Amino acid sequence: MPLGVPGVTELPLFDEDFVLVTPAGHPLAGRDDIPREGLRELRLLLLDEGHCLRDQALDICREAGRSDGAEVTTTAAGLATLVQLVAGGLGVTLLPRTAVTVETARNSALWTGLFADPAPRAGSPSRCGRARPGRPSSRSWRRRCGER
């Protein structure tokens, strides 16, 4: 999500697919053709307010036709807590594909579902502001951000 802060440059690092994480036995568990519209009525678990993945997930849900007033049952401060809430049967969540193996491998009660193409995407920007002069890492960032 763009910050819109003066003096901060954002560089897109990569985009990746979101994956639906469900408890075992959920009707969407294991599917590889979930339509985005399937997000409309799900009991969605999200990260706490202010987290960029939460904002991206909500944007995808709105694009799928989910109303702003649709229930978000529980929030969590981190991905590990979020997926354990899913394993406990409290709802489903969206994870970036690169986080799925790490976050779901510990619990056999967690299943995943893939979206039909085009899958919803999570973006991962890098942000930099004015670097401190003289530091090697700051010179590299300044070059990437268009500063001298």
Side-chain angles (χ1 to χ4, degrees), residues 67-85:
S67 68
D68 284 335
E71 182 181 21
V72 173
T73 58
T74 305
T75 63
L79 294 178
T81 303
L82 197 61
V83 295
Q84 294 311 309
L85 293 170

Side-chain angles (χ1 to χ4, degrees), residues 20-135:
L20 186 70
V21 180
T22 71
H26 191 278
L28 298 177
R31 286 187 47 186
D32 63 0
D33 62 348
I34 301 168
R36 285 184 189 216
E37 294 76 23
L39 294 169
R40 289 181 185 161
E41 303 302 323
L42 296 176
R43 293 183 62 199
L44 191 61
L45 307 174
L46 296 173
L47 291 168
D48 290 337
E49 285 192 40
H51 196 292
C52 65
L53 287 176
R54 174 194 174 91
D55 296 337
Q56 291 175 26
L58 288 173
D59 286 345
I60 289 164
C61 289
R62 279 190 284 278
E63 290 171 11
R66 186 180 176 106
S67 68
D68 284 335
E71 182 181 21
V72 173
T73 58
T74 305
T75 63
L79 294 178
T81 303
L82 197 61
V83 295
Q84 294 311 309
L85 293 170
V86 171
L90 295 177
V92 301
T93 197
L94 296 169
L95 287 184
R97 185 181 289 271
T98 55
V100 169
T101 301
V102 170
E103 298 300 341
T104 63
R106 297 182 294 268
N107 195 323
S108 62
L110 294 167
W111 282 62
T112 59
L114 303 178
F115 289 91
D117 286 332
R121 310 277 291 169
S124 205
S126 177
R127 297 178 174 111
C128 57
R130 289 249 178 246
R132 289 186 270 172
R135 297 185 65 196

